[in-house]
Amino acid sequence: LMPDDIRWHMIGHLQTNKVRQVIDRVVLIHSVDSVALARQIEKEAAKRDLVVDILLEVNVAGEESKFGFSVDEAEEAAVEIAKFAHVRIDGLMTIAPFVENSEENRDVFQKLFQLSVDIKRKNIDNVKMVVLSMGMTGDFEKAVEEGASVIRVGAGIFGARTRIGEINL
């Protein structure tokens, strides 16, 4: 039922063995969490003569349950990935911790914003730093206040996710 000109984004963990199924179907991959994944995107994009726009996922809060570069690793990763001819870094993405009070995530959003400013100041070829994807249904207002250009509000539109084994009645 979607229009032919819909522009899909890949949000969520992307496994390297799934890259070839995704790269020619999306306009932006939000969750590049390793140089190895970016290298696989480069390899598959080169085969199709594509340039794939990506965001580097940064695990600002350092949560073990989340993917992404640490704040300290992100710039070095950007420099390495920027060398790839078929991958273009458009910006950064983070998933803040789940908290009851969204104000608690303001620091996470401020840190990602500052990291994007710091990387942009380096003027690295092939790194645009124009997209800041942060904030979800429970905290997007704070994310926007701190500079988000993209928010992810799927639960606000579709409802909370049902985990395997759970049933909503």
PDB file of all heavy atoms in Angstrom, residues 68-78:
ATOM      1  N   GLY A  68      27.538  -0.304  18.901  1.00  0.00           N
ATOM      2  CA  GLY A  68      28.038   1.004  18.526  1.00  0.00           C
ATOM      3  C   GLY A  68      29.457   1.276  18.990  1.00  0.00           C
ATOM      4  O   GLY A  68      30.007   0.587  19.836  1.00  0.00           O
ATOM      5  N   PHE A  69      30.012   2.309  18.384  1.00  0.00           N
ATOM      6  CA  PHE A  69      31.332   2.785  18.759  1.00  0.00           C
ATOM      7  C   PHE A  69      31.225   3.532  20.083  1.00  0.00           C
ATOM      8  O   PHE A  69      30.217   4.166  20.364  1.00  0.00           O
ATOM      9  CB  PHE A  69      31.875   3.759  17.705  1.00  0.00           C
ATOM     10  CG  PHE A  69      32.031   3.163  16.345  1.00  0.00           C
ATOM     11  CD1 PHE A  69      31.067   3.363  15.365  1.00  0.00           C
ATOM     12  CD2 PHE A  69      33.143   2.392  16.040  1.00  0.00           C
ATOM     13  CE1 PHE A  69      31.199   2.810  14.101  1.00  0.00           C
ATOM     14  CE2 PHE A  69      33.293   1.828  14.782  1.00  0.00           C
ATOM     15  CZ  PHE A  69      32.315   2.033  13.807  1.00  0.00           C
ATOM     16  N   SER A  70      32.271   3.490  20.870  1.00  0.00           N
ATOM     17  CA  SER A  70      32.311   4.366  22.042  1.00  0.00           C
ATOM     18  C   SER A  70      32.558   5.781  21.536  1.00  0.00           C
ATOM     19  O   SER A  70      32.983   5.992  20.391  1.00  0.00           O
ATOM     20  CB  SER A  70      33.437   3.938  22.991  1.00  0.00           C
ATOM     21  OG  SER A  70      34.699   4.250  22.423  1.00  0.00           O
ATOM     22  N   VAL A  71      32.304   6.753  22.385  1.00  0.00           N
ATOM     23  CA  VAL A  71      32.560   8.144  22.015  1.00  0.00           C
ATOM     24  C   VAL A  71      34.032   8.310  21.631  1.00  0.00           C
ATOM     25  O   VAL A  71      34.353   9.004  20.665  1.00  0.00           O
ATOM     26  CB  VAL A  71      32.160   9.100  23.167  1.00  0.00           C
ATOM     27  CG1 VAL A  71      32.606  10.528  22.875  1.00  0.00           C
ATOM     28  CG2 VAL A  71      30.656   9.041  23.405  1.00  0.00           C
ATOM     29  N   ASP A  72      34.919   7.645  22.349  1.00  0.00           N
ATOM     30  CA  ASP A  72      36.357   7.751  22.081  1.00  0.00           C
ATOM     31  C   ASP A  72      36.771   7.093  20.769  1.00  0.00           C
ATOM     32  O   ASP A  72      37.776   7.480  20.175  1.00  0.00           O
ATOM     33  CB  ASP A  72      37.165   7.139  23.228  1.00  0.00           C
ATOM     34  CG  ASP A  72      37.023   7.930  24.527  1.00  0.00           C
ATOM     35  OD1 ASP A  72      36.695   9.136  24.467  1.00  0.00           O
ATOM     36  OD2 ASP A  72      37.236   7.336  25.599  1.00  0.00           O
ATOM     37  N   GLU A  73      36.029   6.103  20.297  1.00  0.00           N
ATOM     38  CA  GLU A  73      36.366   5.384  19.060  1.00  0.00           C
ATOM     39  C   GLU A  73      35.775   6.017  17.805  1.00  0.00           C
ATOM     40  O   GLU A  73      36.243   5.751  16.701  1.00  0.00           O
ATOM     41  CB  GLU A  73      35.833   3.944  19.119  1.00  0.00           C
ATOM     42  CG  GLU A  73      36.395   3.084  20.197  1.00  0.00           C
ATOM     43  CD  GLU A  73      35.617   1.783  20.353  1.00  0.00           C
ATOM     44  OE1 GLU A  73      34.401   1.739  20.063  1.00  0.00           O
ATOM     45  OE2 GLU A  73      36.258   0.797  20.778  1.00  0.00           O
ATOM     46  N   ALA A  74      34.751   6.821  17.964  1.00  0.00           N
ATOM     47  CA  ALA A  74      33.951   7.277  16.820  1.00  0.00           C
ATOM     48  C   ALA A  74      34.753   8.082  15.795  1.00  0.00           C
ATOM     49  O   ALA A  74      34.620   7.848  14.587  1.00  0.00           O
ATOM     50  CB  ALA A  74      32.755   8.082  17.308  1.00  0.00           C
ATOM     51  N   GLU A  75      35.566   9.010  16.239  1.00  0.00           N
ATOM     52  CA  GLU A  75      36.308   9.826  15.275  1.00  0.00           C
ATOM     53  C   GLU A  75      37.300   8.984  14.477  1.00  0.00           C
ATOM     54  O   GLU A  75      37.407   9.126  13.255  1.00  0.00           O
ATOM     55  CB  GLU A  75      37.039  10.966  15.974  1.00  0.00           C
ATOM     56  CG  GLU A  75      37.739  11.887  14.994  1.00  0.00           C
ATOM     57  CD  GLU A  75      38.455  13.033  15.671  1.00  0.00           C
ATOM     58  OE1 GLU A  75      37.960  13.564  16.678  1.00  0.00           O
ATOM     59  OE2 GLU A  75      39.543  13.394  15.173  1.00  0.00           O
ATOM     60  N   GLU A  76      38.012   8.109  15.149  1.00  0.00           N
ATOM     61  CA  GLU A  76      38.962   7.238  14.453  1.00  0.00           C
ATOM     62  C   GLU A  76      38.228   6.355  13.438  1.00  0.00           C
ATOM     63  O   GLU A  76      38.704   6.148  12.319  1.00  0.00           O
ATOM     64  CB  GLU A  76      39.723   6.378  15.462  1.00  0.00           C
ATOM     65  CG  GLU A  76      40.793   5.501  14.839  1.00  0.00           C
ATOM     66  CD  GLU A  76      41.553   4.692  15.883  1.00  0.00           C
ATOM     67  OE1 GLU A  76      41.719   5.161  17.025  1.00  0.00           O
ATOM     68  OE2 GLU A  76      41.984   3.577  15.528  1.00  0.00           O
ATOM     69  N   ALA A  77      37.062   5.849  13.819  1.00  0.00           N
ATOM     70  CA  ALA A  77      36.261   5.030  12.899  1.00  0.00           C
ATOM     71  C   ALA A  77      35.827   5.864  11.694  1.00  0.00           C
ATOM     72  O   ALA A  77      35.867   5.386  10.559  1.00  0.00           O
ATOM     73  CB  ALA A  77      35.056   4.455  13.626  1.00  0.00           C
ATOM     74  N   ALA A  78      35.415   7.109  11.942  1.00  0.00           N
ATOM     75  CA  ALA A  78      34.996   7.982  10.848  1.00  0.00           C
ATOM     76  C   ALA A  78      36.138   8.203   9.854  1.00  0.00           C
ATOM     77  O   ALA A  78      35.932   8.151   8.637  1.00  0.00           O
ATOM     78  CB  ALA A  78      34.496   9.319  11.390  1.00  0.00           C
TER      79      ALA A  78
END
